[in-house]
Amino acid sequence: MVGALAAATYVDGPIAISEATLQNVKSLFVEGSEYIPFQNILQGLLSFSWGGFYVELYRCIEQLYAVPRLIELTKDWPTDKSFVELAELLESRLSWRPKEDESLCKILEECSAASVSSVIAAFELAIDANSTVAHVAGRGIYALRNHLVHFRGKPKIAPLKEEKWDRIMTAMLSVIADSYSAFGKSFHEFDGA
């Protein structure tokens, strides 16, 4: 409720979030999957920078990275645990974590074509003949994330304009909605299968 209220009343904040993007944020809070980590979205919305907002949205998707691999694993090795419990067990006992870039692409493969296309358009990415659209989108999302969270001296990504940041946020919100629609419940609850 706080997030929907913050999105509905966001005026003259530190970043120039468009009315359309604020409406998308509000809709996600009101109509999105109950499994979305809304605290991350709220923290991003209240951030003082576009980069801070982006990283919080990225973290929402990152939470689901283990799911595609766990779906494959449990086809051959059934479990009575939810995917979140299984992921925590595998990390604590075996130090296993999914590869981020690869997992992001697998998550995007389960998103709607419209969401993935919005990522391609927002990041102004070129489709190459050797990659799927989901992989191109995943590389774009992951490259920006790395640029924002790792210090490597000279920046490799030029500063982004407000309008581009805004389009990126809208695309990320769409991916969050789709990915939690696809995986949110199965990640948090054992389905008994």
Side-chain angles (χ1 to χ4, degrees):
M1 191 152 143
V2 171
L5 182 62
T9 60
Y10 191 93
V11 179
D12 294 329
I15 54 179
I17 304 172
S18 73
E19 191 59 42
T21 299
L22 288 170
Q23 183 59 43
N24 288 334
V25 173
K26 181 181 169 193
S27 293
L28 197 60
F29 278 114
V30 173
E31 301 164 10
S33 167
E34 65 184 282
Y35 302 101
I36 293 171
F38 291 109
Q39 70 279 4
N40 292 85
I41 297 171
L42 178 59
Q43 199 165 298
L45 180 63
L46 300 177
S47 178
F48 284 88
S49 70
W50 285 109
F53 193 7
Y54 181 84
V55 169
E56 292 301 328
L57 296 182
Y58 177 89
R59 290 179 64 211
C60 292
I61 302 164
E62 181 180 44
Q63 176 177 290
L64 299 175
Y65 279 180
V67 175
R69 292 288 185 213
L70 294 176
I71 288 171
E72 290 300 314
L73 176 66
T74 57
K75 286 179 184 175
D76 296 322
W77 186 30
T79 182
D80 62 351
K81 299 189 179 310
S82 68
F83 287 149
V84 69
E85 292 171 311
L86 189 54
E88 289 169 356
L89 181 65
L90 290 171
E91 184 173 352
S92 69
R93 300 285 172 91
L94 301 176
S95 299
W96 176 82
R97 279 186 257 143
K99 293 180 181 177
E100 290 187 11
D101 53 345
E102 185 180 288
S103 298
L104 176 58
C105 294
K106 288 190 175 298
I107 295 285
L108 288 169
E109 288 171 358
E110 299 302 319
C111 291
S112 69
S115 289
V116 177
S117 293
S118 72
V119 170
I120 297 292
F123 281 83
E124 301 170 359
L125 300 170
I127 306 298
D128 63 76
N130 298 324
S131 302
T132 67
V133 177
H135 283 84
V136 172
R139 284 194 306 260
I141 291 170
Y142 194 64
L144 182 54
R145 175 256 184 211
N146 282 345
H147 171 72
L148 293 169
V149 301
H150 296 298
F151 179 75
R152 290 193 169 92
K154 186 176 166 182
K156 295 180 180 171
I157 296 177
L160 305 178
K161 294 183 178 183
E162 298 275 337
E163 297 81 18
K164 184 169 183 174
W165 272 119
D166 192 68
R167 288 191 308 272
I168 288 171
M169 296 311 146
T170 295
M172 292 292 285
L173 292 164
S174 182
V175 168
I176 291 167
D178 282 1
S179 59
Y180 277 86
S181 178
F183 298 123
K185 185 173 183 176
S186 65
F187 183 63
H188 289 283
E189 295 181 20
F190 178 67
D191 69 3

